[in-house]
């Protein structure tokens, strides 16, 4: 990247550097604290037996199957929804604050008055959000692998990597949606509202719709279902699950960048 | 830190053999839904000229400027800057101009120096000596965080950024708003220096004295339309002049019928009125009258603009 192009990514990166560090620490603490419980849990906490008493639908809905196994433990405590939800929230928040938030506050006017393509400014901010998301995923992965090794939680590295990749792509999907909305309409409330409603609705659909015979088919409309219905911590993940998240994410982001180039820049 | 492009001198640009206006706006319309912000503006800005762009709040000045910079997309009409279309050639156009926004919002958690460095990287570099010189003249502490800047200091930073590069066109939207008189004076000095090296200036301002001192021509907007344009002297010529005449005896009753006299009043032997237009008919009439004294006040420029602003003219 040349100087001006690099600055279009580096400037927004600098502005969310502190938030990225805070989120990284929070994720690291969550993962490390959860994994640190594994030795005590494995040696007979009774939780596993208690879960076995729950109805099968509830166990499935909350990702508690095989809770006594390493994969089940990580799924139930972290990867059924905690880590993916945090990453989704971070992606939406980063995109919203770097695009609609900054434009809404009038802080981009000076940048748009410089000799840089306006779509490049917007795209640079989306890339910066993506880069910070990638950093958080890497931090989560490193802490996870380190903590697993420390407490001898035996988990297939490939499966764990696939789960993290799917979590990241799920976040990317919602980040792409936020880019699309911000490109179309520079209102923070609108971007956050639409992206979070889609994220929460999708999560609820994937977790709870399978409990109802009537609603169960609609669970497959949820990006959460596309990501995790195959239980990636246990089973090999079909390639289409990556693609069905990544391609719409890229398409939505491109749409947002295109739409941004066609509309007015919001004044302070 | 100055690259070849940034170091391009205005002298070279000024020598480009073209008589076309540097900025041409034709039938510019900008609507926000049912709100008509700009309703068909035509204006030209010639090379090397300082154009004062005046009008009350909400008259469409900032909207016009933002259309010129391609921050807003016109509803209809045509804009050419350096002979180029802002929408298609925005990058090339913006590489040759500097802009002071009406209200400067800055990134949080950055110092003034960091903001300048960041904008500098977007423009391909800057001259640190020039930066320091401008900071000293504007009395701006570059180490200060942007979140601690007062309105005046934010304005100083935006002026520093505007004058840091040797551009062909300065687009200034209320550039002295929030500045103390000393800094307003410094701004006029910077403007004159830029002009002396060939820069063209598009100056939106509420400060009439500033426009009077710096502008070659003035365009006045009201409610999204151009209501007057010309030199400052031409506009001053349109202003009302206060006239007082003393007579030996009674004031002639038909004096009030002299063309151009309005707001007439008689107080004993004294006649007062406002004169719009040429003074010759009044002088011709008074030449045959027993006049003992006469006072004609200098046209008030501010009054002239208020007339234009308030639809009295």
């Amino acid at each position: 990247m040349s100087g001006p192009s690099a600055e279009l990514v580096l400037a927004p990166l600098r502005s969310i550097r502190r938030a990225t560090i805070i989120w990284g620490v929070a994720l690291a603490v969550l993962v490390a604290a959860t994994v640190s419980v594994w030795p005590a849990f494995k040696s007979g906490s009774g939780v596993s037996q208690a879960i076995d008493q729950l109805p099968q639908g509830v166990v499935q809905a909350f990702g508690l199957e095989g809770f006594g196994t390493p994969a089940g433990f990580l799924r139930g405590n972290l990867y059924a929804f905690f880590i993916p939800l945090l990453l989704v929230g971070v992606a939406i928040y980063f995109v919203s604050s770097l695009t609609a938030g900054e434009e809404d506050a009038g802080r981009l006017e000076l940048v748009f008055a410089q000799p840089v393509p306006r779509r490049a400014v917007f795209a640079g901010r989306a890339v910066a959000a993506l880069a910070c998301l990638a950093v958080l995923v890497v931090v989560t992965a490193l802490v996870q692998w380190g903590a697993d090794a420390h407490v001898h939680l035996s988990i297939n590295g490939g499966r764990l990597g696939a789960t993290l990749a799917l979590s990241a792509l799920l976040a990317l999907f919602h980040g792409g949606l936020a880019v699309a909305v911000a490109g179309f309409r520079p209102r923070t409330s609108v971007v956050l509202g639409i992206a979070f409603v889609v994220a929460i609705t999708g999560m609820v659909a994937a977790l709870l719709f399978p409990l109802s015979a009537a609603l169960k088919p609609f669970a497959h409309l949820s990006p959460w279902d596309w990501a995790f219905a195959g239980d990636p911590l246990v089973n090999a993940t079909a390639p289409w699950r990556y693609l069905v998240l990544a391609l719409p994410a890229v398409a939505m982001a491109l749409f947002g960048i295109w739409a941004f180039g066609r509309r007015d820049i919001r004044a302070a | 830190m100055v690259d070849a492009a940034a170091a391009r001198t205005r002298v070279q640009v000024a020598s480009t053999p073209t008589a076309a206006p540097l900025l041409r706006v034709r039938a510019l319309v900008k609507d926000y839904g049912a709100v008509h912000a700009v309703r068909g503006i035509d204006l030209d800005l010639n090379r090397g000229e300082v154009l004062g762009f005046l009008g009350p709040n909400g008259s469409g000045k900032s909207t016009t400027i933002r259309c010129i910079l391609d921050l807003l997309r016109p509803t209809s009409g045509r804009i050419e800057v350096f002979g180029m279309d802002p929408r298609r050639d925005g990058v090339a156009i913006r590489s040759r101009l500097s802009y002071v926004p009406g209200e400067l919002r800055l990134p949080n958690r950055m110092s003034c120096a960091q903001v300048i460095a960041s904008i500098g990287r977007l423009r391909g570099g800057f001259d640190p000596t020039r930066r320091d010189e401008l900071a000293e003249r504007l009395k701006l502490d570059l180490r200060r965080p942007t979140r601690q800047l007062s309105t005046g200091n934010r304005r100083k930073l935006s002026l520093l950024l505007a004058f840091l590069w040797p551009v062909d066109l300065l687009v200034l939207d209320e550039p002295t708003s929030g500045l103390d008189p000393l800094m307003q004076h410094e701004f006029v000095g910077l403007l004159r220096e830029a002009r002396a090296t060939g820069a063209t200036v598009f100056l939106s301002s509420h400060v009439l004295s500033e426009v009077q001192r710096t502008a070659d021509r003035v365009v006045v907007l009201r409610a999204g339309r151009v209501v007057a344009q010309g030199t400052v002297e031409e506009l001053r010529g349109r202003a009302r002049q206060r006239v007082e005449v003393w007579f030996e005896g009674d004031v002639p009753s038909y004096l009030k019928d002299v063309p151009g006299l309005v707001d007439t009043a008689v107080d004993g032997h004294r006649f007062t009125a406002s004169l719009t237009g040429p003074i010759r008919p009044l002088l011709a009439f008074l030449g045959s009258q027993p006049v003992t004294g006469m006072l004609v006040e200098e046209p008030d420029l501010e009054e002239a603009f208020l007339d234009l602003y308030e639809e009295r003219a």
Side-chain angles (χ1 to χ4, degrees), chain A residues 4 7-8 11 14 18 105-107 109-118 261-262 264-268, chain B residues 30 32 66 70-73 87 91 94-95 99 101 104-109 118-119 121-123 161:
Chain A
E7 185 62 17
L8 291 179
R14 283 191 289 269
R18 186 178 300 188
R107 285 193 285 265
E109 182 142 334
L110 197 58
V111 178
F112 287 124
Q114 307 310 320
V116 287
R118 60 151 71 183
R262 293 176 60 82
D264 291 342
I265 305 297
R266 196 170 155 73
Chain B
K30 179 61 186 175
Y32 297 102
R66 289 167 57 77
D70 191 38
L71 298 172
L72 296 179
R73 296 282 158 78
R87 181 160 188 175
V91 174
R94 291 192 294 274
S95 70
Y99 168 54
L104 182 65
R105 302 284 180 85
L106 294 162
N108 291 325
R109 300 194 190 96
S118 179
I119 298 298
R121 283 188 283 271
L122 293 178
R123 295 192 78 102
L161 287 166

Short mmCIF file of all heavy atoms in Angstrom, two decimals, chain A residues 4 7-8 11 14 18 105-107 109-118 261-262 264-268, chain B residues 30 32 66 70-73 87 91 94-95 99 101 104-109 118-119 121-123 161:
data_model
loop_
_atom_site.label_atom_id
_atom_site.label_comp_id
_atom_site.label_asym_id
_atom_site.label_seq_id
_atom_site.Cartn_x
_atom_site.Cartn_y
_atom_site.Cartn_z
N PRO A 4 -0.80 7.34 1.10
CA PRO A 4 -2.20 7.72 1.36
C PRO A 4 -3.11 6.52 1.59
O PRO A 4 -3.95 6.53 2.48
CB PRO A 4 -2.59 8.48 0.09
CG PRO A 4 -1.31 8.99 -0.47
CD PRO A 4 -0.30 7.93 -0.14
N GLU A 7 -2.56 5.15 5.02
CA GLU A 7 -3.10 6.03 6.04
C GLU A 7 -4.62 5.87 6.17
O GLU A 7 -5.16 6.02 7.27
CB GLU A 7 -2.75 7.49 5.71
CG GLU A 7 -3.16 8.50 6.76
CD GLU A 7 -2.45 8.28 8.11
OE1 GLU A 7 -1.43 7.57 8.14
OE2 GLU A 7 -2.95 8.82 9.11
N LEU A 8 -5.28 5.52 5.07
CA LEU A 8 -6.73 5.33 5.14
C LEU A 8 -7.11 4.14 6.01
O LEU A 8 -8.23 4.03 6.49
CB LEU A 8 -7.31 5.15 3.72
CG LEU A 8 -7.26 6.39 2.83
CD1 LEU A 8 -7.82 6.08 1.45
CD2 LEU A 8 -8.01 7.54 3.47
N ALA A 11 -5.07 5.17 10.05
CA ALA A 11 -5.71 6.21 10.89
C ALA A 11 -6.90 5.64 11.67
O ALA A 11 -6.97 5.81 12.90
CB ALA A 11 -6.13 7.40 10.04
N ARG A 14 -5.65 3.31 14.40
CA ARG A 14 -5.17 4.01 15.60
C ARG A 14 -6.33 4.42 16.49
O ARG A 14 -6.23 4.39 17.71
CB ARG A 14 -4.35 5.24 15.19
CG ARG A 14 -2.95 4.92 14.71
CD ARG A 14 -2.11 6.18 14.57
NE ARG A 14 -2.51 7.01 13.45
CZ ARG A 14 -2.01 6.92 12.22
NH1 ARG A 14 -1.08 6.05 11.96
NH2 ARG A 14 -2.43 7.71 11.26
N ARG A 18 -7.19 1.27 21.25
CA ARG A 18 -7.46 1.05 22.67
C ARG A 18 -8.64 0.09 22.85
O ARG A 18 -8.59 -0.81 23.70
CB ARG A 18 -7.77 2.39 23.34
CG ARG A 18 -7.91 2.29 24.83
CD ARG A 18 -8.16 3.63 25.47
NE ARG A 18 -7.09 4.59 25.23
CZ ARG A 18 -7.02 5.78 25.82
NH1 ARG A 18 -7.96 6.16 26.64
NH2 ARG A 18 -6.02 6.59 25.57
N ALA A 105 -20.63 12.13 13.44
CA ALA A 105 -20.02 13.15 14.31
C ALA A 105 -19.32 14.24 13.50
O ALA A 105 -18.80 15.18 14.07
CB ALA A 105 -19.02 12.48 15.26
N GLY A 106 -19.28 14.10 12.20
CA GLY A 106 -18.66 15.12 11.35
C GLY A 106 -17.15 15.06 11.32
O GLY A 106 -16.50 15.97 10.83
N ARG A 107 -16.57 13.97 11.84
CA ARG A 107 -15.12 13.91 11.94
C ARG A 107 -14.44 13.43 10.65
O ARG A 107 -13.22 13.38 10.58
CB ARG A 107 -14.71 13.00 13.11
CG ARG A 107 -14.91 13.66 14.47
CD ARG A 107 -14.21 12.89 15.57
NE ARG A 107 -14.92 11.68 15.91
CZ ARG A 107 -15.81 11.57 16.90
NH1 ARG A 107 -16.06 12.63 17.65
NH2 ARG A 107 -16.42 10.45 17.15
N GLU A 109 -15.18 14.84 7.62
CA GLU A 109 -15.25 15.88 6.59
C GLU A 109 -13.85 16.31 6.13
O GLU A 109 -13.60 16.51 4.95
CB GLU A 109 -16.02 17.09 7.13
CG GLU A 109 -16.16 18.18 6.09
CD GLU A 109 -17.50 18.86 6.15
OE1 GLU A 109 -18.47 18.23 6.61
OE2 GLU A 109 -17.58 20.02 5.72
N LEU A 110 -12.96 16.44 7.10
CA LEU A 110 -11.59 16.85 6.78
C LEU A 110 -10.90 15.80 5.91
O LEU A 110 -10.14 16.14 5.00
CB LEU A 110 -10.81 17.05 8.09
CG LEU A 110 -9.52 17.84 8.01
CD1 LEU A 110 -9.77 19.24 7.45
CD2 LEU A 110 -8.87 17.93 9.37
N VAL A 111 -11.18 14.55 6.16
CA VAL A 111 -10.56 13.47 5.37
C VAL A 111 -11.13 13.46 3.95
O VAL A 111 -10.39 13.36 2.97
CB VAL A 111 -10.81 12.10 6.04
CG1 VAL A 111 -10.22 10.96 5.19
CG2 VAL A 111 -10.21 12.08 7.44
N PHE A 112 -12.45 13.63 3.86
CA PHE A 112 -13.07 13.61 2.53
C PHE A 112 -12.67 14.81 1.69
O PHE A 112 -12.84 14.79 0.47
CB PHE A 112 -14.60 13.56 2.66
CG PHE A 112 -15.12 12.23 3.11
CD1 PHE A 112 -15.92 12.14 4.23
CD2 PHE A 112 -14.80 11.08 2.43
CE1 PHE A 112 -16.40 10.92 4.66
CE2 PHE A 112 -15.27 9.85 2.85
CZ PHE A 112 -16.07 9.76 3.98
N ALA A 113 -12.17 15.86 2.33
CA ALA A 113 -11.73 17.04 1.57
C ALA A 113 -10.31 16.87 1.03
O ALA A 113 -9.80 17.75 0.36
CB ALA A 113 -11.80 18.28 2.47
N GLN A 114 -9.68 15.74 1.32
CA GLN A 114 -8.32 15.49 0.84
C GLN A 114 -8.37 14.73 -0.50
O GLN A 114 -9.41 14.16 -0.84
CB GLN A 114 -7.53 14.68 1.88
CG GLN A 114 -7.53 15.28 3.28
CD GLN A 114 -7.15 16.75 3.29
OE1 GLN A 114 -6.25 17.17 2.57
NE2 GLN A 114 -7.86 17.55 4.08
N PRO A 115 -7.26 14.70 -1.21
CA PRO A 115 -7.25 14.04 -2.53
C PRO A 115 -7.21 12.52 -2.43
O PRO A 115 -6.23 11.87 -2.81
CB PRO A 115 -6.00 14.61 -3.20
CG PRO A 115 -5.11 15.00 -2.08
CD PRO A 115 -5.99 15.43 -0.95
N VAL A 116 -8.26 11.96 -1.87
CA VAL A 116 -8.39 10.50 -1.79
C VAL A 116 -9.81 10.14 -2.25
O VAL A 116 -10.74 10.90 -1.99
CB VAL A 116 -8.16 9.97 -0.36
CG1 VAL A 116 -6.69 10.04 0.00
CG2 VAL A 116 -8.97 10.76 0.66
N PRO A 117 -9.97 9.00 -2.93
CA PRO A 117 -11.31 8.62 -3.36
C PRO A 117 -12.21 8.37 -2.15
O PRO A 117 -11.79 7.74 -1.18
CB PRO A 117 -11.09 7.32 -4.15
CG PRO A 117 -9.63 7.28 -4.45
CD PRO A 117 -8.95 8.02 -3.36
N ARG A 118 -13.43 8.89 -2.22
CA ARG A 118 -14.28 8.76 -1.03
C ARG A 118 -14.60 7.30 -0.73
O ARG A 118 -14.70 6.91 0.43
CB ARG A 118 -15.56 9.58 -1.20
CG ARG A 118 -16.41 9.16 -2.38
CD ARG A 118 -17.87 9.43 -2.13
NE ARG A 118 -18.24 10.83 -2.14
CZ ARG A 118 -19.49 11.23 -1.87
NH1 ARG A 118 -20.41 10.35 -1.58
NH2 ARG A 118 -19.80 12.50 -1.93
N GLY A 261 -20.42 5.57 -2.18
CA GLY A 261 -19.91 6.44 -3.24
C GLY A 261 -20.99 7.22 -3.95
O GLY A 261 -20.69 8.19 -4.67
N ARG A 262 -22.24 6.85 -3.75
CA ARG A 262 -23.32 7.50 -4.48
C ARG A 262 -24.09 8.52 -3.66
O ARG A 262 -24.90 9.26 -4.19
CB ARG A 262 -24.31 6.43 -4.97
CG ARG A 262 -23.74 5.51 -6.01
CD ARG A 262 -24.74 4.43 -6.37
NE ARG A 262 -25.98 4.95 -6.89
CZ ARG A 262 -26.19 5.34 -8.15
NH1 ARG A 262 -25.21 5.24 -9.02
NH2 ARG A 262 -27.36 5.80 -8.54
N ASP A 264 -24.70 11.51 -0.36
CA ASP A 264 -24.10 12.69 0.27
C ASP A 264 -23.32 12.29 1.51
O ASP A 264 -23.68 11.33 2.19
CB ASP A 264 -25.20 13.67 0.70
CG ASP A 264 -25.90 14.30 -0.49
OD1 ASP A 264 -25.34 14.26 -1.60
OD2 ASP A 264 -27.01 14.82 -0.30
N ILE A 265 -22.28 13.07 1.80
CA ILE A 265 -21.56 12.92 3.06
C ILE A 265 -22.31 13.76 4.09
O ILE A 265 -22.63 14.92 3.85
CB ILE A 265 -20.11 13.42 2.96
CG1 ILE A 265 -19.38 12.71 1.82
CG2 ILE A 265 -19.39 13.23 4.29
CD1 ILE A 265 -19.23 11.24 1.98
N ARG A 266 -22.54 13.17 5.23
CA ARG A 266 -23.29 13.87 6.27
C ARG A 266 -22.45 15.00 6.87
O ARG A 266 -21.28 14.81 7.19
CB ARG A 266 -23.66 12.86 7.35
CG ARG A 266 -24.73 13.33 8.27
CD ARG A 266 -25.19 12.17 9.13
NE ARG A 266 -25.74 12.66 10.36
CZ ARG A 266 -26.91 13.26 10.48
NH1 ARG A 266 -27.65 13.44 9.41
NH2 ARG A 266 -27.34 13.68 11.64
N ALA A 267 -23.07 16.16 7.01
CA ALA A 267 -22.37 17.31 7.58
C ALA A 267 -22.36 17.25 9.10
O ALA A 267 -23.17 16.55 9.70
CB ALA A 267 -23.05 18.59 7.13
N ALA A 268 -21.41 17.98 9.70
CA ALA A 268 -21.32 18.02 11.17
C ALA A 268 -22.56 18.68 11.75
O ALA A 268 -23.14 19.56 11.16
CB ALA A 268 -20.09 18.78 11.57
N LYS B 30 -29.84 21.96 -5.03
CA LYS B 30 -29.67 20.88 -4.07
C LYS B 30 -30.88 20.85 -3.15
O LYS B 30 -31.16 21.80 -2.42
CB LYS B 30 -28.38 21.09 -3.25
CG LYS B 30 -28.15 20.00 -2.21
CD LYS B 30 -28.01 18.63 -2.82
CE LYS B 30 -27.92 17.53 -1.76
NZ LYS B 30 -27.90 16.19 -2.37
N TYR B 32 -33.01 18.64 -0.13
CA TYR B 32 -33.01 17.57 0.87
C TYR B 32 -34.47 17.19 1.07
O TYR B 32 -35.13 17.78 1.92
CB TYR B 32 -32.41 18.04 2.19
CG TYR B 32 -30.97 18.46 2.12
CD1 TYR B 32 -30.62 19.80 2.09
CD2 TYR B 32 -29.95 17.51 2.08
CE1 TYR B 32 -29.31 20.19 2.03
CE2 TYR B 32 -28.63 17.90 2.02
CZ TYR B 32 -28.32 19.23 2.00
OH TYR B 32 -27.00 19.63 1.94
N ARG B 66 -20.04 22.51 -0.24
CA ARG B 66 -19.94 21.05 -0.10
C ARG B 66 -20.22 20.34 -1.42
O ARG B 66 -19.70 19.26 -1.67
CB ARG B 66 -20.87 20.56 1.01
CG ARG B 66 -20.36 20.99 2.42
CD ARG B 66 -21.40 20.79 3.49
NE ARG B 66 -21.88 19.43 3.57
CZ ARG B 66 -21.23 18.42 4.13
NH1 ARG B 66 -20.08 18.64 4.72
NH2 ARG B 66 -21.73 17.21 4.13
N ASP B 70 -17.60 17.93 -3.70
CA ASP B 70 -18.15 16.58 -3.92
C ASP B 70 -18.50 15.89 -2.60
O ASP B 70 -18.59 14.67 -2.53
CB ASP B 70 -17.19 15.71 -4.73
CG ASP B 70 -17.86 14.42 -5.19
OD1 ASP B 70 -19.05 14.48 -5.54
OD2 ASP B 70 -17.20 13.36 -5.18
N LEU B 71 -18.72 16.67 -1.55
CA LEU B 71 -19.23 16.07 -0.31
C LEU B 71 -20.74 15.87 -0.44
O LEU B 71 -21.31 14.98 0.19
CB LEU B 71 -18.93 16.97 0.88
CG LEU B 71 -17.44 17.21 1.17
CD1 LEU B 71 -17.25 18.26 2.25
CD2 LEU B 71 -16.77 15.91 1.58
N LEU B 72 -21.36 16.72 -1.23
CA LEU B 72 -22.79 16.57 -1.52
C LEU B 72 -22.95 16.39 -3.02
O LEU B 72 -22.18 16.94 -3.81
CB LEU B 72 -23.56 17.82 -1.08
CG LEU B 72 -23.58 18.15 0.40
CD1 LEU B 72 -24.37 19.43 0.63
CD2 LEU B 72 -24.18 17.01 1.21
N ARG B 73 -23.96 15.65 -3.38
CA ARG B 73 -24.25 15.43 -4.80
C ARG B 73 -25.42 16.33 -5.20
O ARG B 73 -26.51 16.23 -4.62
CB ARG B 73 -24.61 13.96 -5.04
CG ARG B 73 -23.44 13.01 -4.73
CD ARG B 73 -22.47 13.07 -5.88
NE ARG B 73 -21.11 12.65 -5.60
CZ ARG B 73 -20.66 11.41 -5.49
NH1 ARG B 73 -21.49 10.41 -5.56
NH2 ARG B 73 -19.39 11.17 -5.33
N ARG B 87 -17.46 15.19 -9.32
CA ARG B 87 -17.87 13.80 -9.05
C ARG B 87 -16.92 12.81 -9.70
O ARG B 87 -16.53 11.82 -9.12
CB ARG B 87 -19.30 13.59 -9.54
CG ARG B 87 -19.79 12.19 -9.26
CD ARG B 87 -21.28 12.08 -9.29
NE ARG B 87 -21.71 10.77 -8.84
CZ ARG B 87 -22.95 10.42 -8.67
NH1 ARG B 87 -23.92 11.29 -8.90
NH2 ARG B 87 -23.27 9.21 -8.27
N VAL B 91 -10.63 13.50 -6.92
CA VAL B 91 -9.28 13.38 -6.35
C VAL B 91 -8.34 14.41 -6.97
O VAL B 91 -7.61 15.12 -6.26
CB VAL B 91 -8.73 11.95 -6.57
CG1 VAL B 91 -7.29 11.85 -6.11
CG2 VAL B 91 -9.59 10.94 -5.82
N ARG B 94 -9.35 17.88 -5.65
CA ARG B 94 -9.01 18.12 -4.23
C ARG B 94 -7.49 18.16 -3.99
O ARG B 94 -7.04 18.69 -3.00
CB ARG B 94 -9.67 17.07 -3.34
CG ARG B 94 -11.19 17.21 -3.29
CD ARG B 94 -11.81 16.36 -2.19
NE ARG B 94 -11.66 14.94 -2.43
CZ ARG B 94 -12.49 14.19 -3.14
NH1 ARG B 94 -13.57 14.72 -3.69
NH2 ARG B 94 -12.27 12.89 -3.30
N SER B 95 -6.72 17.61 -4.93
CA SER B 95 -5.27 17.70 -4.78
C SER B 95 -4.78 19.12 -5.03
O SER B 95 -3.65 19.46 -4.68
CB SER B 95 -4.57 16.72 -5.73
OG SER B 95 -4.72 17.16 -7.06
N TYR B 99 -9.35 23.22 2.00
CA TYR B 99 -10.70 23.52 2.45
C TYR B 99 -10.72 23.75 3.95
O TYR B 99 -10.16 22.96 4.72
CB TYR B 99 -11.60 22.34 2.08
CG TYR B 99 -12.98 22.32 2.69
CD1 TYR B 99 -13.84 23.41 2.57
CD2 TYR B 99 -13.44 21.19 3.36
CE1 TYR B 99 -15.12 23.37 3.12
CE2 TYR B 99 -14.72 21.14 3.91
CZ TYR B 99 -15.55 22.24 3.78
OH TYR B 99 -16.80 22.20 4.31
N PRO B 101 -13.49 23.81 6.68
CA PRO B 101 -14.93 23.59 6.88
C PRO B 101 -15.52 24.59 7.85
O PRO B 101 -14.81 25.16 8.69
CB PRO B 101 -15.01 22.17 7.44
CG PRO B 101 -13.67 21.90 8.00
CD PRO B 101 -12.68 22.75 7.27
N LEU B 104 -15.15 22.49 12.28
CA LEU B 104 -14.13 21.44 12.21
C LEU B 104 -14.29 20.47 13.39
O LEU B 104 -14.12 20.85 14.54
CB LEU B 104 -12.73 22.06 12.25
CG LEU B 104 -11.57 21.07 12.13
CD1 LEU B 104 -11.58 20.38 10.78
CD2 LEU B 104 -10.24 21.76 12.37
N ARG B 105 -14.63 19.24 13.08
CA ARG B 105 -14.66 18.17 14.09
C ARG B 105 -13.42 17.33 13.89
O ARG B 105 -13.14 16.90 12.78
CB ARG B 105 -15.92 17.32 13.91
CG ARG B 105 -17.22 18.10 14.00
CD ARG B 105 -17.54 18.43 15.44
NE ARG B 105 -18.77 19.18 15.56
CZ ARG B 105 -19.99 18.65 15.62
NH1 ARG B 105 -20.13 17.34 15.56
NH2 ARG B 105 -21.04 19.42 15.73
N LEU B 106 -12.72 17.09 14.98
CA LEU B 106 -11.42 16.40 14.87
C LEU B 106 -11.46 15.05 15.54
O LEU B 106 -12.26 14.82 16.45
CB LEU B 106 -10.35 17.27 15.53
CG LEU B 106 -10.09 18.59 14.82
CD1 LEU B 106 -9.37 19.56 15.74
CD2 LEU B 106 -9.29 18.36 13.56
N PRO B 107 -10.57 14.15 15.12
CA PRO B 107 -10.50 12.83 15.77
C PRO B 107 -10.12 13.00 17.23
O PRO B 107 -9.34 13.88 17.58
CB PRO B 107 -9.39 12.11 15.01
CG PRO B 107 -9.08 12.93 13.84
CD PRO B 107 -9.57 14.31 14.07
N ASN B 108 -10.66 12.16 18.05
CA ASN B 108 -10.30 12.18 19.47
C ASN B 108 -8.93 11.55 19.67
O ASN B 108 -8.42 10.85 18.82
CB ASN B 108 -11.33 11.40 20.29
CG ASN B 108 -12.66 12.12 20.31
OD1 ASN B 108 -12.72 13.34 20.33
ND2 ASN B 108 -13.74 11.36 20.28
N ARG B 109 -8.38 11.81 20.81
CA ARG B 109 -7.12 11.18 21.24
C ARG B 109 -5.96 11.40 20.26
O ARG B 109 -5.14 10.51 20.03
CB ARG B 109 -7.30 9.67 21.45
CG ARG B 109 -8.34 9.33 22.48
CD ARG B 109 -8.24 7.88 22.89
NE ARG B 109 -9.36 7.50 23.69
CZ ARG B 109 -10.44 6.90 23.20
NH1 ARG B 109 -10.52 6.61 21.92
NH2 ARG B 109 -11.44 6.57 24.00
N SER B 118 -1.27 13.11 9.91
CA SER B 118 -2.19 12.18 9.25
C SER B 118 -2.70 12.77 7.94
O SER B 118 -2.69 12.10 6.90
CB SER B 118 -3.36 11.87 10.20
OG SER B 118 -4.26 10.99 9.58
N ILE B 119 -3.13 14.04 7.99
CA ILE B 119 -3.60 14.68 6.76
C ILE B 119 -2.44 14.81 5.77
O ILE B 119 -2.60 14.64 4.56
CB ILE B 119 -4.21 16.07 7.07
CG1 ILE B 119 -5.44 15.93 7.99
CG2 ILE B 119 -4.59 16.79 5.78
CD1 ILE B 119 -6.57 15.13 7.41
N ARG B 121 0.02 12.75 5.38
CA ARG B 121 0.23 11.46 4.70
C ARG B 121 -0.80 11.28 3.58
O ARG B 121 -0.50 10.70 2.54
CB ARG B 121 0.15 10.31 5.70
CG ARG B 121 1.43 10.19 6.54
CD ARG B 121 1.42 8.92 7.40
NE ARG B 121 0.58 9.07 8.56
CZ ARG B 121 0.97 9.53 9.74
NH1 ARG B 121 2.22 9.92 9.91
NH2 ARG B 121 0.14 9.63 10.76
N LEU B 122 -2.02 11.77 3.80
CA LEU B 122 -3.04 11.65 2.75
C LEU B 122 -2.72 12.54 1.55
O LEU B 122 -3.15 12.27 0.43
CB LEU B 122 -4.43 12.03 3.30
CG LEU B 122 -5.01 11.09 4.35
CD1 LEU B 122 -6.36 11.62 4.85
CD2 LEU B 122 -5.18 9.68 3.80
N ARG B 123 -1.97 13.62 1.79
CA ARG B 123 -1.64 14.54 0.71
C ARG B 123 -0.24 14.30 0.16
O ARG B 123 0.24 15.07 -0.66
CB ARG B 123 -1.77 15.98 1.18
CG ARG B 123 -3.18 16.39 1.54
CD ARG B 123 -3.29 17.88 1.70
NE ARG B 123 -3.36 18.55 0.42
CZ ARG B 123 -4.47 19.01 -0.12
NH1 ARG B 123 -5.61 18.92 0.51
NH2 ARG B 123 -4.44 19.61 -1.29
N LEU B 161 -3.91 23.94 8.38
CA LEU B 161 -4.00 22.88 7.36
C LEU B 161 -4.30 23.47 5.99
O LEU B 161 -3.82 22.98 4.97
CB LEU B 161 -5.09 21.87 7.75
CG LEU B 161 -4.74 20.95 8.92
CD1 LEU B 161 -5.99 20.24 9.43
CD2 LEU B 161 -3.70 19.92 8.49
#
